Amino acid sequence: MAPIERLADKLEAPALDDRSYRVIRLSNKLEALLVHDPETDKASASVNVNVGSFSDADDMPGMAHAVEHLLFMGTEKYPKENAYNQYLTAHSGYSNAYTASTETNYFFEVAASTRLDSEKTTDHTSTSPLYGALDRFAQFFISPLFLSSTLDRELKAVDSENKKNLQSDNWRLAQLNKSLSNPQHPYHHFSTGNLETLRDEPRKRGVDIRQEFIGFHDKHYSANRMKLVVLGREPLGILESWVGDLFAGVRNKDLPENRWDGVQPYSDKEVLTQVFAKPVMDSRSLDIYFGFEDETDMYEAQPSRYISHLIGHEGPGSILAYIKAKGWANGLSAGAMPLCPGSAFFTISIRLTEDGLREYKEIVKVVFQYISLIKESPPQRWIVDEVKGMAEVDFRYQQKSPASSFTSAISSIMQKPLPREWLLSGSRLIRKFDSEAISEALSYLRPDNYRLTIVSKDFPGDWDQNEKWYGTEYRTERIDPDFEAAVRKASQSTKHDRLPELFLPHINEFIPTKLTVEKKEIAEPMKAPRLIRNDEAVRTWWKKDDRFWVPKANIFVTLRNPLESATPGNSVKATLYCELVKDALVEYSYDAEIAGLTYGLGSYGVGLDIDVSGYSDKMHVLLEKVLVSMRDLVVKPDRFKIVKERLQRGYRNWDFQQPYHQVGDFTRWLGAEKGWINQDYLAELPHLTVEEISSFYPQLLRQVHIEVLAHGNIYKEDALRITNLIESTLRPRPLPQSQWQVFRNLILPEGSDFTYRRPLGDPANVNHCIEYYLFVGSLTDRVLKAKLILLAQLTDEAGFDQLRTKEQLGYVVFTGSRSAASTMGYRVIIQSERSPEYLETRINAFLASFGKSLDRMPDEEFESHKQSLITKRLEKLKNLDQESSRFWNHISNEYFDFSKNETDVAHLKPLTKSDLVEFFNYYIHPVSSTRAKLSIHMIAQSGIQSAAGSMSSGEQKEKVLGSLKKYLTATGVAVDVEKLTKRFATIDVAGGDRAGITEAVGAYLQEDMAIPKEQSQQIISQGQSLLSTVLPSLGIETPPLVDGGEEKAEEFPEAPPVKVTTFVENVHEYKAMLEVSAGPRPVTELSEFEDVEPKL
């Protein structure tokens, strides 16, 4: 093995970090961080490559992103295109990747061992799935195949990913800012790519696109540009030998770091302009972009954090406090936005009210007055010390994150010029106060160095342009001289003419000071909290942290009251009340938030939910303030109007989410005995008044049952005091158990098949969506549940490979189990340009095919999947928040099933393949006479059926012939209209007979035009992409094809005939005819959790 250089053997790490670290550099200059975690049950690795979309060719945007997709599609050593993901799935793992501006990040997670913790071994290679995963992973960077057979499919996946984002305002507005930036800077690029940029246009220019992708990989992927992180149970020496062995083959081309120093994203043409943009959702915002310095080398001082701390502050004296009091804004955020080496922005984003939109110029002036306030005196050391001190506390008590989140994040950080000992801490800690650096950073916030973006659906209304890639309507103009002069004046304001309401923040009283934790030796952490109070008024659950030993805690409170969910109107009143309380607490709670202490308040069907999380020292202070604010809320008409309008926009915007985010709400609604959907809430909101909320909320608090979970660095007495605080502050009457809600689900009868159709609210979204749900039974049937989750494991990779990778139905494809309050089932979700009816046939085809695969599955493979699922179920908790959330979920769902995962495993272990085959044939198989199905079809208004309009089949054929004529002419083939039309006389174009179309064109070329067979096949092959675009645009569904246009029955299974579905036209009648399940009830007597001991 070539020599390996060790760069660091000890890293600055959090206080409770039990990992060991080593940074090495291979002889090919690939740098790696090795992490030995003896307790982890998940291993992971990530490679970060210093190349991203900024390196795309100008005439082929999206290249870096496409290469990221294509690397997954087979290597010389492992040529099977899904070999990598099959291996990971079989070992409780998964993978992903992302392409950013200057980096591409690949990562995976896998079981740390195939053995139980109690089994010791020295043969790590044979027992660790990590070695096999690393071997497959390394080949991405050594010998990817870029197979021609996968090229078209993965480019369609890129295109589908892009189409998924076309109606997303985050993507649209980000691209608008890029498209309106300096064309000489790569920030101007369109980074995602689509079929037009990556396939169709290059092919028209005669480009061999496969060679272009291979060339991009050859040009930009080099070992010296790669940073690798590997985390596993194995000793550092073993990990080092594996990395040295497996990654030594990555070629080093000694490429320089990608930098763009000679050009900035905003030139003189872009600054002092304002852009008015129309969003998809009903939102209003003002964004101020300043060209800023690249802080990559300033990791010790990080001057932008001083500026963002002050401008982004929400307490008294802040920008937000002033403009919120004026009724102009609801929120503000600020911070540096790194772009690439040499370039950055500093951004200030403000969420506007209706009045604020009209007064946006006044808001800009307020911002510049505050900037003048910051600049007026030298940078304040005490402010830096406060930010620095809080960062040190956060880092010291940082807990573990999921393995792949850690490796992916750190491999990216490794691209920075940090001392290797600071890889974990370098971006988190401020190490020095640098007054000059802060002053220099402030110098970029000038009145001649900014651009404004004003976002609104209504203002100004005269957008006159459309952005090229997403179609966003916008207008851009120079800032007029009067406004420019007013901003300049504001930037020069002094204490004599500045708004007196603006001043720097005070010392933060919420900074935690008591950070001690009493750590005890324990044999085994408690798996459930103790029930330390249980009477007619209160149930209090408590667990003193015995796993993570951090000075933090989580408190969850439910104030149970059936009034909250009695009607949609009540639900909306409760939601509006919670929003008004949070609105009133913004200034007070911000200090707590930046000191690591947060709260939440909401209404979710049972009553009111409160949570407080963070450092335990002053947690009770924040909780008391929240409770008092709830009790004593004065509903002010001006804030009521603003908060109500904001909530109304939220309800209206629901329809403009991604379809796959919406579909689940309808599945839940149609499966619940009682419940409402977004349109019910939206209908109630306009009628609400200040007086109604003022009279309603005391009724919510007057009579409740209080449920509390106190978990973390909290003693039993503390938990009881917190309970007393809630009772004494709110002083409610107890709610008898006879008045508690019982949540039940509807039971789909055996043999039933229902379909509910719903048009999407967004008229411009091109994506349909389906949730295909198969009812299985009661959540309390342990054996049935074990079979269901094992089926979900077995179909996970198989479903993705068939429905997305091979058939390219859409970017969003999911298979798995679904649980409701009391029932469970199996589901498939697909978001696609293809119609829901077509998607349903392909899901039927996949399930029928999978049934055959399950019959043929070797016992060894079946057992491997079973063990993979068991490993997932027994995965260790990573941090306090995970354990708290798990406890609260078991409490709030009223099963109190704290040993759920262990019970699942006990029922998984004895399952055999024949058990699963029987289960599948009864509940899942499309031709089963006993299965019960409900499909939700979300139908795009601008999908292919809409595109076709009322076009007849004859018109569709005529359009296809017209496109073919143009294509053939472009390839140099003479077109005899009569002969070509005759060839199509018997072809069912409207029925999507793609094979017939291909055959007709082939006969025309070879027989009518006497073109040689080889040349004809080339013309036909290149024309397949034309059919993929033209046919759907005319509303014609076509069967999936592989490259070259030949159907493969073994890859695209035939859909079996299924029973006729019943369409749900009247939801009330549908629910009325179904039986309901039993409601949730404890799986263990609560008395078993009771604890009357006085102290831990």
Side-chain angles (χ1 to χ4, degrees), residues 180-405:
L180 296 178
S181 67
N182 183 359
Q184 304 305 311
H185 193 280
Y187 180 67
H188 184 75
H189 284 176
F190 167 49
S191 58
T192 309
N194 57 31
L195 277 179
E196 180 184 3
T197 67
L198 294 168
R199 186 190 68 182
D200 299 345
E201 287 301 319
R203 279 181 176 170
K204 286 179 184 177
R205 300 194 302 269
V207 172
D208 184 333
I209 57 173
R210 177 172 178 268
Q211 285 304 317
E212 287 295 310
F213 296 130
I214 292 171
F216 185 94
H217 188 274
D218 287 343
K219 180 180 179 181
H220 295 291
Y221 277 57
S222 172
N224 75 304
R225 279 187 173 175
M226 297 181 187
K227 308 298 180 185
L228 167 67
V229 180
V230 180
L231 181 154
R233 280 189 185 178
E234 292 73 19
L236 292 175
I238 297 289
L239 295 177
E240 182 175 303
S241 67
W242 287 359
V243 169
D245 177 36
L246 297 175
F247 287 86
V250 181
R251 287 176 55 206
N252 176 32
K253 300 155 193 173
D254 276 322
L255 299 179
E257 179 195 28
N258 277 315
R259 295 193 65 88
W260 292 269
D261 293 308
V263 62
Q264 288 298 314
Y266 286 170
S267 67
D268 291 342
K269 292 181 180 179
E270 285 79 41
V271 295
L272 293 180
T273 59
Q274 51 187 4
V275 178
F276 298 94
K278 183 180 181 182
V280 171
M281 290 192 175
D282 190 359
S283 62
R284 293 182 295 267
S285 61
L286 166 66
D287 292 306
I288 308 174
Y289 292 86
F290 295 92
F292 200 62
E293 63 185 350
D294 172 21
E295 289 190 333
T296 304
D297 295 325
M298 304 179 193
Y299 46 82
E300 290 189 85
Q302 301 181 48
S304 66
R305 287 175 68 174
Y306 177 90
I307 304 172
S308 59
H309 173 73
L310 294 178
I311 293 179
H313 210 281
E314 298 179 9
S318 66
I319 296 171
L320 181 62
Y322 178 78
I323 59 179
K324 183 170 176 283
K326 297 287 285 185
W328 293 345
N330 290 312
L332 181 151
S333 60
M337 175 181 165
L339 298 179
C340 63
S343 303
F345 290 134
F346 189 93
T347 66
I348 303 171
S349 298
I350 301 167
R351 297 194 303 277
L352 301 175
T353 64
E354 290 179 292
D355 289 344
L357 184 63
R358 289 188 290 269
E359 301 291 344
Y360 80 91
K361 292 183 179 181
E362 292 301 313
I363 294 173
V364 174
K365 288 190 281 185
V366 172
V367 169
F368 274 93
Q369 282 203 32
Y370 196 87
I371 291 170
S372 77
L373 169 67
I374 301 172
K375 292 180 176 180
E376 190 172 64
S377 55
Q380 306 290 297
R381 181 183 287 273
W382 75 266
I383 294 175
V384 173
D385 286 345
E386 191 173 273
V387 176
K388 177 174 176 286
M390 201 61 234
E392 288 167 356
V393 170
D394 287 340
F395 180 71
R396 182 182 178 191
Y397 296 107
Q398 180 182 309
Q399 299 170 78
K400 290 180 181 178
S401 57
S404 59
S405 299

Side-chain angles (χ1 to χ4, degrees), residues 905-951:
V905 168
H907 287 86
L908 280 168
K909 285 181 177 179
L911 291 181
T912 63
K913 193 181 85 169
S914 61
D915 292 331
L916 255 290
V917 170
E918 180 184 8
F919 169 83
F920 183 87
N921 289 336
Y922 191 92
Y923 291 101
I924 309 298
H925 201 291
V927 300
S928 167
S929 62
T930 51
R931 79 166 190 166
K933 181 174 76 70
L934 169 66
S935 281
I936 312 297
H937 292 183
M938 304 292 291
I939 302 166
Q941 297 181 47
S942 64
I944 58 178
Q945 285 79 12
S946 300
S950 57
M951 196 180 294

